[in-house]
Amino acid sequence: MMNNQVYVEDGNLILSENILLSEKEWSFINEDPQLIFHFDKEIIGVRIQLEFTKLIEKPFYVKVYYRSTEENFSENNVICFNRFFPLKSTTDVIFPKNVQDVRLDLNEENSQVFIDHLLIQPIYKKINPIEELHSIAFPYLQKDDQRKRVLIISHDLTNTGAPILALNIADKLKNKIVDILVLACSNKKPELYNRYIDKNIPVLFLDDFYKNEYCYFDLESSKLEFDVMFPLLIKMLKKYGFTVAILNTIVSGQIIKFLKNEKIKSISLIHEMKNTIQTYGFEDYGKLVAENADFIVFPDEIVLKDFKDLFSNINGNTFVRPQGIYLDKDIDRIYSFEEYGLDLTKPIVLGSGTAELRKGIDLFVSAAIGLCEIDDDVQFVWTGSFGGNIELKSWMEYQIEKSGFSKRILLLPFLSNPNEYKYLLKNITTFWLTSREDPFPSVVLEAMKFHKPVIGFRNSGGFISMARNNRAYAIEDFSINSLINETKCILDKGSFIDWNSVDSFIEGLSLDEYITFLNELIIE
């Protein structure tokens, strides 16, 4: 029955051990499943082609033993690697010498998997894994000297500020005779993935690289798959015309040396400030950016100053360019928020962003409770996820519940529909920026564009630049009382915002001009 699912070119399956079959279900037992193959003549490697009928959820620890006819299989002659197999996969394994016998241990753990078929093909001469990666995983990619090709590297695809900026950069550049490939460092909560697909922009997740269709291993590279395959990917992309990379956020700095090794120009967009870099341990990434990036772009002078305070050795050219605004004021229809318990006819205070301590979700909740105690009508909405922080979410909900204002203080998920968010923004009374640290928050620019007064902490980051000339209320840092008092004054008497100053400021922040600036760096 095994022979009905295992095929060998120029050879035979001579032995299987510790594998039980029931139709297409394979059970690995005794923590040592083995398939032994003999080939008609000497080979230098094998190509393992697997097709599963059900996706496996955990990586396999694969061992490929090799021997000549006069040898025994031993731990001295084995190539080991982790492989998270997609439904269809090709894995090339190259040996350090010619052999005729190969033993494949697909997984060292007992498990059940559903395999349609396994094809083992001999490799008779050394291969070029870059060409194999291209032909198997990127057959559509052809050389084209007429178009510029740019990598956009985003730390993740969550529906938050920096990833949304990356999406808009990709979309705008695509229209400037530029081919785009997005490399996402993390596939955790890829909320923007479908929007990339809708815009016909391909995305590759780097933390799941060993889930990709093609992988290559030899004795020298038999280690973590990212370290093996990512350099091959970059070499292949460089060969096919990707000569520039835009790295969005400091976390993307983890791969900048790979780009420099292939002489791919790097444009690093830094959105993190000093305390964020230190708190989350991003110093190593920042050092790599400072030493290796060709161009480093900051949204505000204060972000540049923080970066220079941390990293004295900056080799690339630095620029300060705000990213502009990509949310227009057009709304496709009327939206109801009754399902959330929100009354749009009453005053609303809005906060938006990932619900975390850096963004001040705790300050937002505490100030909201305080204002609810002295104002009977005002409602509060925070839109944004807790990023998996169940503890923080639980305590915030607990605090709201104990206050007795659960119907007036609402914690909503991200509103993924931009039109729904714009309709909410249109109907709020004021916007709170409760961030302890925020470089140049787009949510503030959007509120300003909709002529909504914004209150934020004076020294939290780029907000101080936004608030100049009576464009917003810059209050004492982290003062809940100041936040309550200023908001109550706006509710009772209106705001003193200079909307002409706001309009002039907003008009000067053009996303198209930002894209033109990036395009100039690309072609420089």
Side-chain angles (χ1 to χ4, degrees):
M1 189 171 178
M2 178 72 73
N3 286 321
N4 292 331
Q5 291 178 264
V6 179
Y7 305 92
V8 187
E9 286 188 8
D10 298 341
N12 295 286
L13 170 65
I14 60 174
L15 181 66
S16 65
E17 289 190 358
N18 301 319
I19 301 176
L20 304 178
L21 272 73
S22 175
E23 295 186 353
K24 293 188 177 183
E25 180 180 356
W26 295 30
S27 296
F28 301 150
I29 62 174
N30 299 326
E31 297 180 340
D32 190 25
Q34 300 179 19
L35 295 170
I36 299 178
F37 307 97
H38 177 76
F39 292 90
D40 299 338
K41 55 184 179 180
E42 287 189 336
I43 61 174
I44 194 62
V46 290
R47 170 165 288 185
I48 304 166
Q49 293 191 302
L50 259 173
E51 183 170 339
F52 291 84
T53 58
K54 291 184 179 180
L55 194 64
I56 59 174
E57 297 180 355
K58 294 174 60 178
F60 283 178
Y61 184 66
V62 183
K63 292 184 175 182
V64 183
Y65 295 85
Y66 51 92
R67 72 178 183 189
S68 55
T69 52
E70 67 275 6
E71 294 177 316
N72 294 320
F73 291 120
S74 74
E75 298 299 324
N76 294 325
N77 294 325
V78 63
I79 293 176
C80 309
F81 52 91
N82 286 306
R83 181 76 158 105
F84 207 142
F85 290 99
L87 287 176
K88 293 183 179 181
S89 66
T90 299
T91 307
D92 285 342
V93 183
I94 303 299
F95 309 129
K97 61 181 182 179
N98 290 328
V99 298
Q100 277 191 269
D101 293 332
V102 173
R103 177 181 134 192
L104 172 62
D105 295 7
L106 269 177
N107 197 13
E108 65 175 5
E109 294 184 2
N110 293 340
S111 56
Q112 287 77 42
V113 295
F114 294 84
I115 296 177
D116 182 81
H117 69 267
L118 166 65
L119 171 61
I120 304 294
Q121 297 174 299
I123 298 175
Y124 293 111
K125 60 182 180 179
K126 291 288 181 70
I127 62 173
N128 183 339
I130 298 172
E131 293 301 325
E132 299 301 323
L133 177 64
H134 172 254
S135 64
I136 294 171
F138 298 90
Y140 59 86
L141 194 59
Q142 303 299 323
K143 290 183 178 179
D144 186 349
D145 296 332
Q146 302 304 312
R147 292 181 65 85
K148 199 76 175 175
R149 285 181 165 163
V150 176
L151 301 172
I152 293 183
I153 301 164
S154 183
H155 66 287
D156 60 33
L157 298 188
T158 55
N159 193 25
T160 54
I164 293 174
L165 173 62
L167 172 65
N168 282 278
I169 291 173
D171 186 38
K172 291 284 187 178
L173 283 177
K174 185 167 65 73
N175 298 322
K176 289 184 174 288
I177 320 181
V178 173
D179 287 334
I180 299 293
L181 173 63
V182 175
L183 306 181
C185 295
S186 170
N187 78 335
K188 183 180 179 182
K189 298 193 72 176
E191 296 155 325
L192 298 177
Y193 180 76
N194 287 335
R195 291 177 64 182
Y196 275 108
I197 299 307
D198 290 343
K199 295 176 183 296
N200 199 29
I201 300 172
V203 176
L204 189 63
F205 292 104
L206 298 183
D207 62 338
D208 277 353
F209 200 80
Y210 66 156
K211 289 184 179 179
N212 289 317
E213 188 173 352
Y214 178 77
C215 272
Y216 166 92
F217 300 97
D218 58 27
L219 196 60
E220 298 300 319
S221 64
S222 182
K223 50 183 178 179
L224 291 176
E225 294 71 17
F226 180 85
D227 295 334
V228 177
M229 293 303 300
F230 186 70
L232 295 180
L233 172 68
I234 295 301
K235 287 177 183 291
M236 186 274 291
L237 293 174
K238 174 65 182 297
K239 181 175 181 178
Y240 284 90
F242 286 89
T243 57
V244 180
I246 297 174
L247 298 92
N248 192 37
T249 78
I250 201 168
V251 178
S252 303
Q254 62 188 292
I255 63 177
I256 198 167
K257 288 194 74 173
F258 294 108
L259 303 173
K260 188 172 184 178
N261 289 342
E262 296 304 319
K263 295 182 173 55
I264 293 177
K265 183 196 299 182
S266 57
I267 304 168
S268 185
L269 313 181
I270 299 298
H271 309 288
E272 294 80 9
M273 296 178 64
K274 186 175 182 179
N275 196 59
T276 298
I277 293 171
Q278 293 176 322
T279 299
Y280 295 104
F282 295 157
E283 291 97 333
D284 288 345
Y285 299 149
K287 187 171 183 289
L288 287 168
V289 169
E291 294 176 351
N292 295 285
D294 296 291
F295 304 105
I296 311 176
V297 183
F298 303 87
D300 191 82
E301 290 286 352
I302 196 169
V303 187
L304 171 58
K305 180 181 180 301
D306 272 9
F307 195 81
K308 286 183 173 179
D309 286 347
L310 288 173
F311 310 107
S312 57
N313 183 27
I314 301 176
N315 294 325
N317 294 318
T318 61
F319 303 88
V320 174
R321 291 288 190 285
Q323 66 267 23
I325 305 173
Y326 30 82
L327 195 72
D328 59 44
K329 296 178 71 173
D330 298 330
I331 302 172
D332 60 352
R333 63 178 177 85
I334 294 174
Y335 288 83
S336 171
F337 287 82
E338 290 183 3
E339 63 178 299
Y340 303 116
L342 188 63
D343 185 349
L344 297 184
T345 66
K346 293 184 177 182
I348 298 170
V349 175
L350 178 65
S352 183
T354 303
E356 59 184 7
L357 293 179
R358 180 178 71 88
K359 295 282 188 178
I361 179 63
D362 55 322
L363 302 176
F364 181 93
V365 169
S366 295
I369 292 171
L371 192 49
C372 281
E373 290 173 345
I374 61 174
D375 189 296
D376 294 333
D377 289 327
V378 65
Q379 305 163 98
F380 297 85
V381 178
W382 182 285
T383 172
S385 76
F386 280 81
N389 191 334
I390 298 174
E391 182 181 15
L392 180 61
K393 182 174 187 289
S394 177
W395 283 118
M396 292 297 96
E397 291 173 341
Y398 178 81
Q399 184 177 348
I400 294 170
E401 179 186 351
K402 288 297 183 182
S403 74
F405 298 118
S406 295
K407 292 184 178 180
R408 293 171 59 193
I409 304 174
L410 308 177
L411 304 180
L412 306 185
F414 277 114
L415 301 180
S416 57
N417 181 348
N419 283 291
E420 185 180 18
Y421 181 74
K422 287 187 289 186
Y423 193 78
L424 174 60
L425 200 55
K426 177 184 176 182
N427 285 279
I428 68 169
T429 307
T430 190
F431 187 95
W432 279 0
L433 179 74
T434 53
S435 296
R436 291 176 166 89
E437 192 173 73
D438 219 330
F440 204 77
S442 295
V443 289
V444 169
L445 302 178
E446 292 162 358
M448 286 179 163
K449 187 169 185 174
F450 275 77
H451 277 202
K452 303 302 176 181
V454 178
I455 307 174
F457 300 126
R458 182 174 292 110
N459 296 307
S460 60
F463 175 68
I464 191 64
S465 300
M466 299 175 175
R468 290 192 185 109
N469 299 321
N470 291 337
R471 291 192 291 261
Y473 293 79
I475 63 173
E476 181 184 349
D477 288 348
F478 319 136
S479 172
I480 291 174
N481 287 335
S482 296
L483 197 54
I484 292 171
N485 293 336
E486 290 289 1
T487 307
K488 181 60 174 170
C489 185
I490 292 172
L491 293 173
D492 292 343
K493 301 177 182 179
S495 74
F496 68 75
I497 299 296
D498 182 344
W499 294 114
N500 289 329
S501 177
V502 168
D503 290 341
S504 177
F505 177 67
I506 293 298
E507 287 171 8
L509 297 175
S510 165
L511 178 61
D512 287 337
E513 289 182 8
Y514 185 72
I515 297 301
T516 298
F517 162 72
L518 292 180
N519 196 46
E520 289 171 354
L521 296 183
I522 289 170
I523 63 180
E524 184 172 312

